[in-house]
Amino acid sequence: MKRLVAGILAATMLASTAACSSGNTNTESTEPASSTAAATSDVTLRIAWWGSQTRHDATLKVLDMYTKKTGVKFQTEYMPFDGYFTKLNTLVASNDMYDIFQLGGNFPTYIDQIEPLDSYVADGTIDTTDTNKGYLESTQYNGKQYGISLGINSYGIAYDPEMFQKAGLKEPSTNWTWEEFEKDCMTIHEKLNIYGSSKIEDFFAGGTMAAPQFNLKETFFKADGTGLNYTDDSPIASYLAMKQRLVKAGAYPDPGAISEIKDIEGDYLATGDAAMTWVASNQFVALSKAAGRPLKLATVPRIKADGPSGISLQSSQMFAISKSCKEKTEAAKFLNYFVNDIQANEVLLGERGIPIMSKVRDDVKSKISDNDKQVYNFIDTVGEIADSPVILDPKAQPEIKDLYMRLENQVVSGKLSPEDAAKQLRSGAEDIFKKGASASSSN
Amino acid sequence: MAKNTGGNSLKLKKFLNRDNTVGYVFALPFIIGFLGFTIVPMIVSLYFSFTNYNMISAPQWVGLKNYVRMFTEDNRFVNSVGVTLKYVFISVPLKLIFALIVAFLLTRKSKAVSVYRSVYYIPSLIGGSVAVSLVWKQLFSTKGLINNILHSLGMARISWFGDEHAAVWPLILMAIWQFGSSMIIFAAGLTQIPASYYEAARIDGAGIVKQFFFITLPSLSPVILFNLVMQMITGFMSFTQTYVISNGTGDPNDATNFFALYIYNQAFKYFDMGYASAMAWILLILISLITFIIFKTSSTWVFYENE
């Protein structure tokens, strides 16, 4: 019996050492089995991104193409948006970052982990001759290039033109107002007995965009992410009051119905239960595919028809290289391939946003359907009316966004007046900033 | 030299053959897991609870600030404790009553009993899963089954997860529905009660109701105590259901913002790891306190056969 135990113990130990050693070499490489590729390389890059299944498929295919071309292998991690930043922060805490990782407008949060790309841009490893200064600036911070944008997008309102026609409404213009939006919602609800609009990202529509719409000199957050930068609470209050009226009339889903929307494919516009919805322009293709009927894109309504649009073109996301990456030049070469290679982008098809390189953009545009081309025209339109600076998300943004949504729910349920909600938003947000400031200043 | 190694291997053999060694080897997987996944994280979280830590920069010692903030500045925290207590205090007793009734009904001597027990146990097996929460969300959605039934009965549709007064009830109902594991334990307890007690009672003229209250309940009280404590702890740690149903927000208006969910959001959404750790310790203290109270009062209502 005891001998048996000793034997088992020995076997276990052997097995565990074997497991350890194989653990090190076990990479989920995307290298194809038939890799008799000419180029060989023992470089392996760990790369991570978030997105939908469409994005995963396309990105994996491009990585595969790159492996075939150069021999550089990839260890991939991809997931939906929800878990991505949780995972990323855990890796930061354990000092085990990916080599290349996708980031959005919150990249300044990770600034200590990101390798600036200026030297790679200067020596031509990353070729940026085909884009313009504005697009490069969208991923800069304090004058340094922290990533290369994988696409440009902007917020907009997707709508069903046929439903508008049925309700006897004219389609939105580029300078329509929230007042018109509300009237349209009410009319659609009365005539067609559906929601006027599906879920609007209220924190953007009635918060971060409302501030510059009301006064072009102001923004919701300060550019350096240390506090609020708007003086008048009234535009936020009047937006919340509008939401209250719309929900009360049944022209907009109540919070319960909103929480039933699982993803962009399950949006009430896609299911035919609403005539409008809020989108980031790169989601439009997926949305119209899910809807299965022609949709159009309008710009976000303004506060005053002759007032500012409050819109900006932004980088939807970027790839960044981590400071801990051992093969930074290889990573930079890959980044260059990802944004500049025509064939790669014919696979990616601008799903992350409109490509910033003009040759790539023209090629991709020629390859897509007329419906998908709308996004390009939309971005052109937004480019003409954009008047507000891109403000990157401060660390406190998720908490302030939640605060905004809680206050809005209280307004909608009639527990709080819109004016009080706007006041509480300001004081609550300032508290959150104060808490954050004491944390970072003590570092 | 050769002699020496021979001596060493003999020593090793002797060491491996000792009874204690064997015992520890068998317990080793648990010990590793317990140290690595319970004790060490607990100590680390206790340290973090006195710091300001966002996972990205190094933790900063702030003393008791996190604990003070919880009780003086954070209304959401106070609300989440209230919501959780309401959930636990309503769902746990109802669940136990339900489990006891079903277990009592299934003590008849019939071949179908084990089938019924298995069937009733299924909800507990799949209880904490995301899939069930999604099904529940669908059932209570605006156009879901429950609302369709209400509608066909001529009642107004209820926005279950949009109305802050209604939102917690589907969650409570879901907890009660998962009565299976308590039921199995009750059933086991019921079979332990000697039939002679009932016989004697019947001879003395006691009806079913009297038998239940004067024989079944007292005899079963240790099992009730066990179930009560276990289910209460599970209730306090309830997370998946509300995370899935409210999309991780605790909406509407924090009505389903359970303690565990709020800890999670502070930790992994706002990245206030220090504060979240402090809340986790308060949760531990709260659960211990209530368990302690239950045990203290148990001497008045729990009867052990050897007393």
Side-chain angles (χ1 to χ4, degrees), chain A residues 2 89 254 259-260 402, chain B residues 17 137 142 159 269-271:
Chain A
K2 283 179 182 172
N89 284 23
D254 66 57
S259 78
E260 285 164 24
D402 277 4
Chain B
N17 281 340
K137 187 173 180 173
T142 325
S159 173
K269 192 171 185 190
Y270 309 148
F271 298 109

Side-chain angles (χ1 to χ4, degrees), chain B residues 27 70 82 94 108 113 115 125 130 161 203 226 260 268 277 292 294:
Chain B
M70 222 178 294
L94 285 176
R108 295 154 198 258
V113 161
V115 176
L125 283 178
V130 173
F161 300 119
I203 291 165
F226 173 79
F268 295 106
S277 300
F292 178 76
I294 292 176

Side-chain angles (χ1 to χ4, degrees), chain B residues 196-217:
Chain B
S196 54
Y197 290 4
Y198 292 104
E199 219 172 296
R202 264 200 304 279
I203 291 165
D204 289 343
I208 288 273
V209 177
K210 269 207 169 145
Q211 283 176 31
F212 180 79
F213 281 104
F214 289 98
I215 298 172
T216 312
L217 268 190

Side-chain angles (χ1 to χ4, degrees), chain A residues 104-370:
Chain A
N106 61 345
F107 74 85
T109 308
Y110 299 91
I111 215 81
D112 295 340
Q113 273 72 38
I114 306 175
E115 174 78 10
L117 300 176
D118 302 85
S119 62
Y120 303 104
V121 171
D123 70 12
T125 312
I126 299 175
D127 181 5
T128 56
T129 49
D130 206 17
T131 184
N132 66 37
K133 203 167 139 257
Y135 289 152
L136 287 176
E137 276 170 359
S138 66
T139 52
Q140 286 174 359
Y141 188 70
N142 291 338
K144 276 188 190 161
Q145 193 78 41
Y146 280 96
I148 301 292
S149 172
L150 303 180
I152 296 299
N153 73 357
S154 184
Y155 295 120
I157 304 283
Y159 66 97
D160 183 333
E162 210 186 306
M163 286 178 176
F164 267 69
Q165 208 186 3
K166 268 191 209 157
L169 294 167
K170 66 177 188 7
E171 293 178 25
S173 62
T174 52
N175 66 342
W176 69 322
T177 60
W178 286 111
E179 214 178 304
E180 290 172 81
F181 171 85
E182 185 182 356
K183 264 187 211 147
D184 288 355
C185 280
M186 297 290 195
T187 314
I188 290 163
H189 177 63
E190 277 161 28
K191 296 258 172 76
L192 307 178
N193 198 26
I194 55 173
Y195 296 128
S197 172
S198 177
K199 183 183 179 182
I200 302 287
E201 283 290 353
D202 301 304
F203 179 66
F204 303 132
T208 56
M209 284 177 77
Q213 279 188 347
F214 188 73
N215 180 352
L216 203 48
K217 292 194 190 90
E218 294 182 353
T219 49
F220 190 84
F221 292 122
K222 277 185 192 155
D224 61 1
T226 56
L228 299 177
N229 190 34
Y230 65 96
T231 46
D232 199 325
D233 291 340
S234 67
I236 291 172
S238 61
Y239 181 87
L240 293 174
M242 174 191 80
K243 276 320 262 294
Q244 192 183 30
R245 290 191 297 269
L246 282 173
V247 175
K248 208 172 171 191
Y252 185 87
D254 66 57
I258 289 284
S259 78
E260 285 164 24
I261 304 171
K262 287 184 207 82
D263 45 28
I264 191 78
E265 282 87 3
D267 189 274
Y268 290 127
L269 175 60
T271 59
D273 294 309
M276 289 184 265
T277 195
W278 176 274
V279 285
S281 55
N282 59 318
Q283 294 175 308
F284 181 73
V285 172
L287 178 74
S288 43
K289 209 163 144 197
R293 54 187 206 278
L295 301 179
K296 282 184 165 179
L297 262 172
T299 51
V300 175
R302 307 172 188 226
I303 291 175
K304 280 179 291 224
D306 56 352
S309 69
I311 296 177
S312 48
L313 282 177
Q314 57 198 16
S315 163
S316 70
Q317 51 217 260
M318 65 186 210
F319 268 144
I321 299 175
S322 72
K323 277 211 168 111
S324 60
C325 173
K326 291 199 181 71
E327 302 280 356
K328 294 196 180 78
T329 317
E330 285 298 329
K333 277 187 199 160
F334 169 71
L335 245 58
N336 182 52
Y337 172 83
F338 201 83
V339 294
N340 274 313
D341 189 85
I342 303 257
Q343 277 167 322
N345 279 283
E346 280 178 6
V347 174
L348 296 167
L349 282 177
E351 186 271 330
R352 283 180 169 85
I354 307 285
I356 63 167
M357 305 296 172
S358 51
K359 279 190 204 113
V360 170
R361 183 167 56 234
D362 294 343
D363 181 73
V364 170
K365 194 177 173 184
S366 71
K367 292 282 184 299
I368 56 175
S369 72
D370 283 345

Side-chain angles (χ1 to χ4, degrees), chain A residues 371-389:
Chain A
N371 182 55
D372 299 355
K373 270 185 196 139
Q374 280 195 64
V375 181
Y376 287 76
N377 302 334
F378 175 74
I379 291 295
D380 289 343
T381 312
V382 170
E384 282 159 26
I385 63 168
D387 52 15
S388 304

